[in-house]
Amino acid sequence: RRPRRAGVYIRVLSFALRAPVGVAPRWPCVGCARRSSVGRASGPAGLNFLSWKLCITTMRLVILDNYDLASEWAAKYICNRIIQFKPGQDRYFILGLPTGSTPLGCYKKLIEYHKNGDLSFKYVKTFNMDEYVGLPRNHPESYHSYMWNNFFKHIDIDPNNAHILDGNATDLQAECDAFEKKIKEAGGIDLFVGGIGPDGHIAFNEPGSSLVSRTRLKTLAMDTILANAKYFDGDLSKVPTMALTVGVGTVMDAREVMILITGAHKAFALYKAIEEGVNHMWTVSAFQQHPRTIFVCDEDATLELRVKTVKYFKDPPPIVQIEPKP
Amino acid sequence: MDIWAHHSPIQAPDQTRRRIRRLQLGLTMRGGQGAARALVLQFTNCRILRGGALLREDLWVRGGRILDPEKLFFEERRVADEQRDCGGCILAPGFIDVQINGGFGVDFSQATEDVGSGVALVARRILSHGVTSFCPTLVTSPPEVYHKAPEAASLPEAAGDFVIAPSLDVHSSNWFVVLPQIPVKSGGPHGAGVLGVHLEGPFISREKRGAHPEAHLRSFEASAFQDLLATYGSLDNVRIVTLAPELDRSHEVIQALTALGICVSLGHSVADLGAAEEAVRSGATFITHLFNAMLPFHHRDPGIVGLLTSDQLPPGRHIFYGMIADGMHTNPAALRIAYRAHPQGLVLVTDAVPALGLGNGRHTLGQQEVEVDGLTAYVAGTKTLSGSITPMDVCVRHFLQATGCSVEAALEAASLHPAQLLGLEKHKGTLDFGADADFVVLDDSLHVRATYISGELVWQAEETRQ
């Protein structure tokens, strides 16, 4: 029998028990009077503000029915976090951003909220996770192009506040160190949004990466190169083999982390990330030790999880109200 | 900037160097050092024609050129200084008319004391048709229209601006000379840009002269290119020459003109397919108003029309052909046949006569009178069509409706294809980064709402002027 990760469940329960007496924790719906099960967020998403303040640690697994709902949940969460932060001239919200096919829906939703006038990125600084080495900045597959076409060109972010690693810098390590310095000067990352590879990697921290690594140059694993080939006309020789990436340690330093995992091809990686141990072969598992992590996924991504785990997070046990003793 | 890419790299003659310099002055005055500090304009809420498709993208303009916003964002770290909402309209490259004989009462071929202001008037009025660049066309005319006779009084040198010629006794042989008074000029609020003159004749076929006066037709069998030079005088302002390839020694002439960077067009001709193919191999790249003023298509000798599908052309090159898509000069079925046979080469032209934009009645074209009746213009007293009076945007709409082609194809036929014909596709006829910001704002039915040259609004429809 596999040993159970009791630690995870206790942390979740402790969240429930630490909720203030007499107040039913409204999770995840802020403003929604009835307690809805995780994943069926019908109102603005986000932690109950009060319980957020009291809660010290939480790992949450938010399971939505499909990709669109998962993207919407994640986008609403980011939107609410930014708004509740009340960013301003001297107070920027620092956001870490991913690339790839998974966050596209989330970006579309954020753009929609911006166009509706609900969300401004004027006082938001962004740091992207990674960038290919040797690919021209205006190449259609570079992450600069990705971020421009899928996000930056539709919003009102100041170009000086959008930071992406430069894969064509003359001194790559200096570029990485400068990136770390910029994050530090900005005051650290408030919310780092990430994805997961089929091999369980976060950013380009391939299996075998140190779990305390910092921003550096990495050689890509064959799995990743094969997965990327479809973006380069199926020609393996055109796929970049090296990339600059934030380290696992860099992301762990963020005050909050949200990992988006959708699709059946990520299911095994999700299983390894949360039901198995912390392991450098599945670098996302490091976030089991992060004080505040949310895994947002759709039904397909939970296919490799135990039914018990899924049921627990989708439909948590009833909260017991503790009456104060007279 | 090498806009004359097809030029021979060997030292070009003086005329060509002067032409290159003039065009460069005109077309590169935008850009340069001041451009980086110029205002960045962002046209939002629009669909732009780029890469053959209508994309839901914003159009960014700076210093009169189309700007790459991604580069601006990541390298210069700048945002737009001004945003303009286009109301969901289509933004297409400005139309280019390579065959227009005049309009609004102005006849380019008629020697007057002030040719310049006539050209300027037409240039300004065709902005409302979405035309941002054009080639004023001179039909077959007496030699005095092209260059001054040696005994005529000397005229002030055209220095790049239109000049008013001193008044001379019109009864003497000292006519006002037209050709030197139509220099290449950039477009702007004053009007559409002049890319160069289109000389249609006098080296054309007698049988297919159409409305051209027979008395002034010429040939170059005596001394080929020298004959041509003797007729036209200077070729400085010339961009396209239409001639009949069956004339003796035409190949030498075509080769010489092509070497100078002048586009040679076949038209007003009774050439068979073999002669036409030979002409294309010598350097001809255009057919003047396909089907009109040439032998009809025959299944054993397709004539000039056969160039559309000929396999005897130099590899990698294809022929461009002008079509007057006004519903009269070509039957819609013939238009469709040509389009389906060779869609990449179709160039929409107006072949507009001075009666364009005027009402019914009698008007002057070249050395002859024409009669306008509704949407048709005839040589006075005959039933010979005498050019069209259909504006370019109407031609585009008619072309779209008659062929059932896509909106993108119809717009490219009026912008990209003429630019490709003239070798200007990097700067005109396109909304790619770095191209001149000459574009037209169209609604979904392809009516012109506004015209921009170098990113500056030069014309606007009445109802949008609020």
Side-chain angles (χ1 to χ4, degrees):
Chain A
R1 277 183 84 225
R2 265 181 302 176
R4 303 229 320 238
R5 287 286 308 167
V8 166
Y9 304 119
I10 288 172
R11 273 201 286 277
V12 170
L13 283 171
S14 68
F15 162 83
L17 289 172
R18 278 180 204 172
V21 166
V23 176
R26 288 175 285 173
W27 180 36
C29 251
V30 174
C32 179
R34 71 189 156 76
R35 200 186 133 274
S36 56
S37 60
V38 180
R40 284 179 178 74
S42 53
L47 287 176
N48 174 293
F49 196 58
L50 213 48
S51 54
W52 170 257
K53 282 206 173 251
L54 289 175
C55 174
I56 312 291
T57 65
T58 167
M59 193 223 75
R60 293 166 56 189
L61 180 63
V62 177
I63 305 170
L64 286 303
D65 282 344
N66 57 44
Y67 175 76
D68 291 327
L69 288 174
S71 302
E72 192 180 349
W73 196 100
K76 280 183 175 166
Y77 187 83
I78 298 170
C79 179
N80 277 8
R81 288 284 286 117
I82 295 174
I83 291 170
Q84 286 169 358
F85 184 83
K86 294 196 179 51
Q89 185 63 34
D90 303 313
R91 189 177 146 78
Y92 280 80
F93 187 86
I94 318 297
L95 191 56
L97 291 178
T99 51
S101 52
T102 307
L104 280 175
C106 179
Y107 283 136
K108 281 199 178 63
K109 277 290 176 189
L110 285 172
I111 291 165
E112 192 187 302
Y113 302 151
H114 168 69
K115 291 218 171 354
N116 289 342
D118 295 329
L119 178 61
S120 166
F121 290 88
K122 196 168 167 213
Y123 298 114
V124 172
K125 285 188 184 169
T126 64
F127 287 90
N128 261 67
M129 289 188 134
D130 42 23
E131 173 60 291
Y132 290 117
V133 165
L135 210 56
R137 199 217 64 237
N138 58 0
H139 190 283
E141 292 303 324
S142 84
Y143 287 161
H144 282 80
S145 294
Y146 177 100
M147 290 308 297
W148 168 255
N149 285 313
N150 293 311
F151 197 48
F152 293 146
K153 81 175 173 194
H154 305 280
I155 58 172
D156 62 343
I157 189 167
D158 183 339
N160 290 301
N161 292 337
H163 302 279
I164 308 183
L165 285 157
D166 178 10
N168 293 301
T170 32
D171 186 345
L172 293 172
Q173 192 51 50
E175 169 71 13
C176 296
D177 296 338
F179 199 72
E180 287 274 344
K181 194 157 167 248
K182 276 185 226 163
I183 295 176
K184 204 164 158 196
E185 278 164 1
I189 302 207
D190 291 305
L191 172 61
F192 216 127
V193 183
I196 186 175
D199 56 2
H201 70 228
I202 175 96
F204 275 132
N205 292 288
E206 306 285 45
S209 297
S210 158
L211 297 179
V212 293
S213 49
R214 310 305 304 184
T215 306
R216 68 219 184 284
L217 173 68
K218 272 298 276 188
T219 312
L220 302 183
M222 186 43 93
D223 264 350
T224 310
I225 294 175
L226 288 171
N228 286 346
K230 67 177 184 276
Y231 301 119
F232 292 88
D233 305 325
D235 185 352
L236 282 181
S237 64
K238 288 192 191 147
V239 184
T241 53
M242 294 206 292
L244 299 182
T245 176
V246 292
V248 182
T250 317
V251 184
M252 285 286 284
D253 281 352
R255 286 181 272 285
E256 188 174 6
V257 176
M258 179 162 76
I259 313 276
L260 304 175
I261 307 166
T262 56
H265 58 300
K266 304 283 173 77
F268 193 71
L270 176 61
Y271 151 66
K272 284 287 186 186
I274 64 171
E275 285 193 344
E276 293 287 303
V278 175
N279 188 329
H280 69 167
M281 296 310 285
W282 302 89
T283 43
V284 185
S285 60
F287 294 94
Q288 294 177 20
Q289 299 199 299
H290 187 283
R292 231 173 254 157
T293 302
I294 311 175
F295 288 89
V296 180
C297 41
D298 62 356
E299 291 271 359
D300 287 342
T302 62
L303 288 173
E304 292 281 353
L305 295 181
R306 286 170 147 197
V307 175
K308 186 168 9 186
T309 312
V310 175
K311 278 194 163 178
Y312 183 83
F313 285 102
K314 263 203 123 156
D315 206 11
I319 304 299
V320 173
Q321 298 289 356
I322 300 170
E323 297 297 325
K325 291 203 167 88
Chain B
M1 174 187 80
D2 183 21
I3 51 170
W4 299 87
H6 56 284
H7 243 187
S8 156
I10 307 166
Q11 183 175 22
D14 265 305
Q15 282 180 334
T16 322
R17 265 191 246 113
R18 244 179 292 136
R19 176 210 314 283
I20 296 172
R21 196 159 46 242
R22 204 169 287 130
L23 255 165
Q24 282 173 341
L25 268 177
L27 296 178
T28 58
M29 233 177 295
R30 3 179 168 190
Q33 283 178 354
R37 288 186 291 276
L39 283 186
V40 174
L41 285 173
Q42 182 186 3
F43 294 86
T44 64
N45 190 13
C46 55
R47 288 158 287 156
I48 66 174
L49 179 65
R50 185 177 280 162
L54 279 177
L55 308 173
R56 202 81 177 69
E57 292 271 356
D58 294 345
L59 187 72
W60 293 64
V61 174
R62 178 170 68 179
R65 293 239 169 103
I66 311 284
L67 182 65
D68 182 353
E70 188 183 338
K71 203 162 171 217
L72 185 77
F73 186 91
F74 286 122
E75 286 183 15
E76 293 179 54
R77 305 268 168 191
R78 269 181 74 176
V79 291
D81 296 303
E82 190 188 327
Q83 288 189 337
R84 287 192 199 169
D85 189 322
C86 297
C89 284
I90 295 171
L91 261 52
F95 301 145
I96 301 174
D97 194 353
V98 298
Q99 189 172 3
I100 169 170
N101 307 289
F104 312 97
V106 172
D107 177 4
F108 295 142
S109 305
Q110 188 174 42
T112 63
E113 49 179 67
D114 188 4
V115 172
S117 58
V119 174
L121 171 75
V122 173
R124 202 176 66 247
R125 296 293 297 271
I126 57 176
L127 291 177
S128 64
H129 304 158
V131 178
T132 53
S133 304
F134 69 113
C135 293
T137 306
L138 298 187
V139 297
T140 301
S141 302
E144 300 84 54
V145 166
Y146 301 113
H147 71 102
K148 58 178 187 264
E151 66 273 3
S154 60
L155 290 165
E157 265 299 296
D161 287 325
F162 301 123
V163 297
I164 298 178
S167 52
L168 295 170
D169 182 4
V170 296
H171 296 297
S172 76
S173 61
N174 301 334
W175 278 55
F176 305 113
V177 190
V178 173
L179 186 52
Q181 292 191 61
I182 313 181
V184 170
K185 194 172 155 110
S186 288
H190 54 272
V194 174
L195 295 175
V197 174
H198 178 168
L199 294 174
E200 192 185 359
F203 300 100
I204 55 176
S205 150
R206 197 158 297 267
E207 297 94 324
K208 291 290 180 186
R209 68 185 183 279
H212 295 224
E214 183 171 359
H216 301 296
L217 298 182
R218 297 188 59 146
S219 70
F220 31 56
E221 58 200 22
S223 41
F225 190 59
Q226 295 312 313
D227 268 348
L228 186 130
L229 273 184
T231 305
Y232 292 144
S234 161
L235 291 174
D236 272 359
N237 300 334
V238 176
R239 195 65 193 88
I240 309 174
V241 171
T242 292
L243 47 79
E246 72 271 16
L247 297 178
D248 272 343
R249 305 185 71 177
S250 64
H251 310 299
E252 297 168 43
V253 174
I254 296 174
Q255 278 165 355
L257 286 171
T258 309
L260 284 176
I262 294 176
C263 169
V264 176
S265 180
L266 309 177
H268 289 277
S269 159
V270 293
D272 58 13
L273 181 57
E277 283 166 343
E278 187 59 46
V280 173
R281 280 195 290 273
S282 300
T285 49
F286 194 48
I287 303 174
T288 301
H289 45 57
L290 188 77
F291 296 127
N292 298 103
M294 57 185 64
L295 290 178
F297 177 87
H298 185 281
H299 54 285
R300 277 192 296 275
D301 187 1
I304 293 177
V305 180
L307 287 176
L308 265 57
T309 46
S310 166
D311 59 355
Q312 300 300 313
L313 306 185
R317 264 178 53 196
H318 67 87
I319 193 82
F320 288 95
Y321 56 101
M323 294 219 74
I324 309 171
D326 62 351
M328 268 165 303
H329 279 73
T330 316
N331 186 292
L335 181 62
R336 280 190 287 274
I337 287 177
Y339 175 69
R340 287 179 201 174
H342 184 34
Q344 295 310 310
L346 199 147
V347 171
L348 288 174
V349 301
T350 59
D351 198 14
V353 298
L356 167 76
L358 304 179
N360 296 340
R362 232 171 222 252
H363 308 276
T364 315
L365 164 65
Q367 312 298 318
Q368 289 192 336
E369 301 275 316
V370 301
E371 182 114 22
V372 171
D373 177 20
L375 282 176
T376 331
Y378 297 101
V379 177
T382 74
K383 278 291 165 195
T384 311
L385 290 174
S386 175
S388 147
I389 52 172
T390 312
M392 181 60 99
D393 60 320
V394 177
C395 289
V396 171
R397 289 195 290 277
H398 179 265
F399 174 70
L400 177 75
Q401 177 260 317
T403 57
C405 67
S406 63
V407 168
E408 295 90 330
L411 294 173
E412 282 191 338
S415 56
L416 178 66
H417 295 172
Q420 286 171 334
L421 166 70
L422 300 178
L424 299 173
E425 67 268 24
K426 288 217 181 338
H427 302 278
K428 303 280 186 199
T430 170
L431 295 180
D432 289 342
F433 303 137
D436 294 342
D438 296 348
F439 58 93
V440 58
V441 181
L442 303 158
D443 62 19
D444 282 338
S445 58
L446 300 190
H447 284 83
V448 181
R449 306 295 294 275
T451 309
Y452 284 80
I453 292 183
S454 294
E456 208 181 330
L457 180 66
V458 296
W459 184 84
Q460 200 174 31
E462 277 304 327
E463 55 273 12
T464 48
R465 275 177 217 162
Q466 261 104 41

